[in-house]
Amino acid sequence: MRAKVCGLNSVEQMTQLDEMGVDFAGFIFYPKSPRYVLKNLAKAELKKAKGVKINKVGVFVNENPDHLLSLVDDCGLYLVQLHGDETPRYCEKIADYISVIKAFRLRDDDDVLWKIKDYQDIVDMFLFDTAGAEYGGTGKRFNWEILYSLNINKPFFLSGGIGPEDIEALKFFTTTPVAKDLFSVDINSRFELTPGVKDMQKVKPFMNELMNI
């Protein structure tokens, strides 16, 4: 099982996660977020992080596409996660340059297949998160049952308020039909000391259990 730890604000913690075997490190480039990475890290620091295999993911919300692409280069990003209201045409422009994860914020009554259909042939992966008033995470899980029987037909990240206590629920999720397309688990606020600072005493045991699923 792959894992992405999102909302990082330090190269040191990225290195620690790399040593644990975490696959993806998420950095938020949304200025309104309390985890806005450029408050704490210079672009050059992020780009020059050495000795790590972890893949750097830039999280953007309705960003100017030319500015976004310049940040991809300036920060050495491996993937881009689009977490706003980006249109298929917008996503296509970005996907011509770098691999794209399109995030969808889900409510319990959403028709998921309808929401993703126009992006199916454009982006590389999806991410499913919990709907909230703002673009950022809510710290709450959405009802995973709305995904169980679906054929997403594209790799996806499962996100939205996943916490240390959710290992058994994740084990069950892997037994459902939709899990054939599950690419990675995405964790963030439930593993924090403060916004942008992860509690490694929570992350490490979670990772150990996740790798045994």
Side-chain angles (χ1 to χ4, degrees):
M1 178 73 75
R2 300 177 189 86
K4 171 172 169 271
V5 178
C6 201
L8 294 174
N9 270 332
S10 82
V11 171
E12 179 185 4
Q13 288 212 322
M14 179 174 67
T15 303
Q16 291 174 318
L17 294 172
D18 184 56
E19 291 168 353
M20 289 180 201
V22 176
D23 302 275
F24 302 94
F27 297 92
I28 296 175
F29 289 85
Y30 181 46
K32 294 182 180 180
S33 170
R35 299 170 184 86
Y36 179 47
V37 64
L38 296 182
K39 273 185 183 176
N40 299 279
L41 275 177
K43 290 178 278 189
E45 286 181 275
L46 199 49
K47 184 170 186 175
K48 292 177 181 177
K50 296 187 183 299
V52 292
K53 296 178 182 177
I54 199 166
N55 299 295
K56 291 178 285 187
V57 182
V59 181
F60 297 89
V61 176
N62 303 329
E63 181 59 78
N64 173 280
D66 293 327
H67 185 226
L68 186 157
L69 294 177
S70 71
L71 286 169
V72 167
D73 290 335
D74 292 345
C75 300
L77 302 179
Y78 176 76
L79 286 168
V80 163
Q81 177 179 320
L82 302 177
H83 214 91
D85 307 307
E86 297 87 2
T87 64
R89 187 174 180 181
Y90 177 105
C91 293
E92 189 169 24
K93 178 173 182 176
I94 306 302
D96 283 343
Y97 191 78
I98 188 172
S99 295
V100 168
I101 306 163
K102 179 68 183 89
F104 296 89
R105 303 183 302 282
L106 301 182
R107 303 182 190 280
D108 290 353
D109 58 351
D110 273 339
D111 182 338
V112 178
L113 296 182
W114 183 86
K115 288 191 82 161
I116 67 177
K117 67 181 178 66
D118 292 338
Y119 298 83
Q120 189 77 43
D121 297 327
I122 293 172
V123 302
D124 299 276
M125 288 178 272
F126 296 135
L127 180 144
F128 299 124
D129 199 359
T130 306
E134 304 297 332
Y135 290 108
T138 62
K140 298 177 182 178
R141 264 178 53 188
F142 66 92
N143 180 9
W144 293 352
E145 291 183 19
I146 66 173
L147 298 177
Y148 284 172
S149 64
L150 301 183
N151 178 19
I152 301 299
N153 204 31
K154 187 172 288 291
F156 70 89
F157 289 73
L158 183 65
S159 187
I162 296 173
E165 72 285 357
D166 288 323
I167 285 292
E168 291 304 316
L170 286 166
K171 285 181 181 176
F172 181 79
F173 191 93
T174 64
T175 70
T176 65
V178 76
K180 73 177 180 63
D181 294 316
L182 176 61
F183 181 76
S184 177
V185 170
D186 181 290
I187 63 174
N188 189 347
S189 62
R190 300 288 301 282
F191 292 84
E192 284 187 327
L193 295 168
T194 59
V197 180
K198 305 309 174 196
D199 184 346
M200 295 302 172
Q201 299 306 311
K202 288 184 178 180
V203 176
K204 189 169 185 177
F206 180 83
M207 281 302 302
N208 290 338
E209 293 195 68
L210 191 67
M211 288 176 174
N212 289 320
I213 293 179

